[in-house]
């Protein structure tokens, strides 16, 4: 969004009004920082609540990043109202400002570290105190306090009221609003164990077992797992935080010491101009800033004075510094967040604030992390209903064992049959008691309660909900660091399914920096008499005048060659571009057209065999050169040959992609002979070439190819946009046009030593590695719940005497979530062999 864009109704302080029926909605976007989510079910519930609000057009809530991305109609609802909606159901929310996030990140990092240490210490203390009571028989000394049931009752009470208070309160809020979550299950389990133990403690005549250690140990394991999970999650988001820190807060703005314009000063005077420290987000396009060695560039800009080496590694993934100096295109352009290494530079701002490359990358990464892969949507849907299912299973478990199980298998009530069960009867009689009394105190009611509690706490929607977003968070972060912008998890899924990759030619497989190699004027006798003195210089002048109205690489090559010949462009008006076909303009009252021969014929240009000998154009085209024909009014004047060499890395990249089992095609609007020459240089056969294709036909070609499987399109120009949008995965080069980048789902901005196309290989590898990690996570999460819940419900108890105490169930639940997070973090090391 441009800094000069008009304020939305919300920003302008206008209250939203209902949209009249049938009128088109306006669309605004907002990102909210959402707290209080404890599992994927929470995120799914929050997302459903947002989508049910009037005026919300789309909403996506990411459990891992704690961010809600919402598109809404500001005439019906405001961003503040959306935040209030989530806050009201137990998810405190507020607007998310990337600049504020960046400035406060250091404080957040310190706070996160302190919170982690505090939670870790609390969890360890609770686990130690609750465990020593069980292990006292193994200790060489006696601790009288640990033998006291009163002590353990007090410890359980304090644990529920203080360190675990937020858990059960959040769980209750979720249950009250009809969106139960992981905290609901843990809270129900802990309070059930506590209340049952309290009844036994207050009414000893019942001869019930008191197991106050269970809720303490259970909550200790939960807090330990949450602490480890939060720390790992914080590390997973490090890539985005590094990007946020790249752009400096302050900039050195040049101010003239006199009334003279800065452009009128010499280089020495410019370098010695006084500077004013201003916030970097207050700079305007066209202002000049000074950047000293070791400082980061505050804006995207063009070098006005100086020469230096620049570290672009965090932006492009290229570790080697690049030389930047006054010049054209890349050699004279710098990006916000990159580092000036060696000399003082003066830079003119070309993009500032949210329009810089860095800011757009950050916005892309945030949006990508908010978008969900189809398998994530499925997992979130399952997790959203998972809690209800677990509560139902817990009730069934209780009812079965209380009503039938203990009657069918009465031996399960004997303490000697407990496997991993932690027995607490020694608190009632430290000297031991008879087997008869033991069996009497292990009542069907207590057994049923313990098994149902174990079912409540061992079920883990967290692992299922974390499986996909954690891997996507790490994968998108790795991509951003390596110069890959991937729009979302759905794109990563499509990458793995790709069967065919289609390449545009100009600017994609070629360097995009063509040069004029030949000018040919038709013989004077075939031109009108008044044009008999027409020369190659005049042909070039006319062509350059018309090409001034476009930024196509071929147009830039012709303009640059005309400048080298010291030709002054003629006045031209009514510029028109027909993407992929040609351009036209009025020059000195005459209609001048440049483009493909077939397009010129469609425009009424007469081309007879005697007018044009195609031998030379065909020969040049067979050498891989592009032929641009020039016509004035209805007369063909001649042609210009332009050569655009292949990117050096293109043959190696094509071969590497072929080895990955992908079908590769070249799709171009150029002549067949030119395309075949390029294909031959890439070791592609004639069957891999689709030439003479107009832009509007490219999308149709992609659609036909999609009948045989998923297709990716790689391009960089305006004429590639329809094909990029049609393809299953549109891939644009970062050096391409804005419209191509906005249409594509992946943008390659990395500048590798081996070339930008090397980044395409990394995109394929990263997509496959991320999907592989997601499958591993989902398999573990599903396998864990499939195996753990029946064991916790006592399926092994009758025949093997094996079951789980509530505390052990809590430990396994915490471990399952942590294991998924750690497995996702391994992607950082595994992806791309890094």
């Amino acid at each position: 969004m441009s800094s000069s864009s008009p304020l939305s109704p919300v920003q302008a302080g206008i209250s939203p009004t209902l949209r009249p029926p049938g009128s088109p909605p306006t669309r605004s976007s907002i990102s909210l920082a959402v707290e209080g989510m404890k599992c994927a079910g929470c995120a799914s519930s929050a997302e459903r609540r947002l989508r049910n609000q009037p005026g919300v057009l789309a909403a996506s809530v990411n459990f891992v990043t704690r961010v809600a991305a919402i598109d809404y109609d500001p005439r019906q609802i405001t961003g503040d109202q959306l935040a209030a909606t989530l806050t009201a159901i137990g998810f405190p929310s507020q607007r998310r400002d990337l600049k504020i996030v960046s400035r406060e990140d250091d404080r957040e990092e310190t706070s996160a570290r302190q919170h982690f240490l505090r939670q870790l210490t609390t969890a360890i203390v609770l686990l130690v105190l609750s465990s020593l009571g069980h292990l006292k028989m193994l200790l060489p000394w006696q601790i009288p306090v640990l033998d006291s049931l009163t002590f353990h009752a007090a410890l359980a009470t304090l644990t529920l009221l203080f360190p675990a208070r937020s858990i059960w309160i959040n769980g209750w809020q979720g249950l009250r609003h009809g969106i139960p979550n992981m905290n609901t299950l843990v809270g129900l389990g802990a309070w059930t164990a506590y209340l049952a133990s309290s009844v036994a403690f207050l009414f000893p005549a019942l001869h019930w077992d008191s197991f106050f250690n269970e809720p303490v140990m259970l909550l200790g394991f939960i807090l330990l797992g949450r602490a480890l999970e939060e720390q790992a999650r914080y590390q997973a988001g490090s890539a985005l935080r590094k990007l946020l820190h790249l752009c400096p807060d302050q900039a050195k703005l040049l101010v003239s010491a006199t009334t003279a314009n800065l452009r009128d000063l010499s280089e020495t005077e410019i370098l010695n101009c006084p500077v004013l420290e201003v916030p970097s987000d207050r700079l305007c396009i066209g202002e000049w800033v000074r950047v000293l060695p070791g400082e980061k560039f505050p804006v995207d800009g063009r070098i006005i004075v100086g020469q230096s080496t620049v570290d672009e590694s965090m932006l492009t993934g290229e570790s080697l510094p690049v030389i930047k100096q006054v010049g054209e295109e890349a050699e004279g352009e710098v990006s916000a967040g990159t580092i000036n290494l060696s000399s003082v530079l003066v830079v003119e701002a070309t993009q500032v604030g949210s329009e810089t490359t860095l800011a757009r990358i950050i916005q892309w990464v945030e949006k990508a992390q908010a978008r969900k892969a189809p398998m994530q949507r499925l997992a979130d849907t399952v997790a959203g209903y998972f809690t209800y299912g677990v509560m139902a299973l817990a009730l069934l478990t209780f009812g079965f064992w209380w009503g039938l199980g203990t009657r069918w298998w009465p031996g399960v009530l004997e303490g000697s049959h407990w496997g991993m069960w932690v027995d607490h009867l020694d608190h009632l009689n430290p000297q031991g008691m008879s087997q008869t009394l033991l069996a009497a105190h292990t009542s069907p009611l207590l057994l049923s309660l313990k098994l149902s509690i174990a079912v409540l706490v061992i079920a883990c929607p967290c692992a299922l909900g974390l499986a996909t977003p954690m891997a996507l968070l790490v994968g998108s972060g790795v991509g951003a660091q390596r110069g890959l912008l991937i729009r979302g998890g759905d794109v990563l899924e499509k990458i793995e399914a790709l069967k065919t990759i289609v390449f545009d030619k100009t600017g994609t497989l070629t360097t995009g920096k063509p040069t004029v190699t030949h000018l040919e004027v038709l013989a004077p006798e075939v031109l009108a008499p008044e044009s008999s003195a027409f020369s190659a210089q005049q042909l070039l002048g006319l062509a350059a005048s018309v090409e001034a109205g476009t930024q196509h690489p071929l147009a830039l090559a012709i303009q640059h060659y005309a400048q080298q010949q010291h030709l002054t462009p003629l006045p031209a008006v009514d510029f028109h571009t027909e993407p992929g076909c040609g351009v036209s303009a009025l020059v000195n009252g005459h209609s001048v057209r440049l483009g493909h021969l077939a397009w010129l014929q469609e425009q009424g240009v007469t081309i007879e065999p005697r007018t044009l000998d195609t031998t030379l154009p065909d020969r040049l085209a067979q050498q891989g050169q592009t032929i641009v024909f020039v016509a004035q009014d209805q007369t063909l004047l001649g042609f210009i040959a332009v050569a655009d060499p292949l990117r050096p890395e293109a043959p190696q990249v094509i071969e590497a992609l072929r080895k990955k089992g992908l079908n590769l095609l070249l799709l171009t609007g150029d002549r067949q002979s030119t395309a075949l020459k390029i294909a031959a240089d890439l070791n592609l056969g004639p069957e891999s070439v689709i030439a003479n294709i107009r832009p509007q036909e490219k999308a149709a070609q992609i659609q036909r190819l999609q009948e045989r499987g998923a297709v990716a399109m790689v391009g960089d120009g305006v004429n590639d946009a329809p094909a990029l949008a049609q393809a299953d995965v549109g891939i644009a080069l970062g050096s391409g046009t804005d419209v191509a980048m906005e249409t594509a789902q992946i943008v390659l901005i990395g500048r590798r030593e081996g070339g930008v196309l090397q980044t395409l290989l990394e995109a394929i590898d990263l997509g496959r590695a991320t999907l592989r990690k997601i499958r591993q996570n989902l398999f573990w999460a599903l396998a864990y719940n499939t195996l753990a819940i029946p064991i916790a419900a006592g399926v092994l108890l009758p025949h093997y005497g094996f079951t789980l105490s509530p505390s052990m169930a809590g430990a396994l639940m915490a471990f399952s979530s942590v294991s998924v997070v750690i497995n996702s973090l391994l992607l950082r090391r595994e992806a791309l062999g890094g």
Side-chain angles (χ1 to χ4, degrees), residues 644-703:
D644 187 7
L646 277 176
R647 293 182 184 271
E649 75 274 16
Q652 292 79 10
V653 170
I654 292 296
E655 182 60 27
L657 290 172
R658 186 185 287 112
K659 290 180 178 178
K660 293 181 183 295
L662 294 165
N663 180 36
L664 306 176
L665 296 176
L666 174 61
L667 183 66
T668 178
D670 220 330
R671 295 164 61 117
Q672 181 80 10
S673 53
T674 303
L676 289 174
K677 175 62 170 60
I678 295 294
D681 292 341
L682 294 170
N683 199 25
L684 293 174
E687 70 282 357
S688 300
V689 175
I690 305 175
N692 289 317
I693 297 297
R694 297 191 177 189
Q696 59 270 30
E697 297 172 346
K698 286 187 176 182
Q701 290 288 341
I702 296 294
Q703 192 171 16

Side-chain angles (χ1 to χ4, degrees), residues 530-531 542 545-546 570-574 584-593 631-635 637:
E530 63 272 14
S531 303
L542 273 178
S545 301
V546 177
L570 300 171
V573 295
D574 293 343
S584 65
L586 286 178
V587 182
N588 290 334
H590 294 278
S591 176
V592 180
R593 298 181 180 87
Q632 178 176 286
D633 296 327
Q634 311 306 315
T635 304
L637 300 179

Side-chain angles (χ1 to χ4, degrees), residues 149 194-210 212 428 441 446:
L149 191 59
Y194 176 78
L195 293 174
S197 299
S198 297
V199 171
F201 178 66
L202 296 173
F203 304 98
L206 293 174
H207 299 297
W208 282 14
D209 179 12
S210 289
F212 283 115
L428 293 177
H441 283 290
L446 288 181

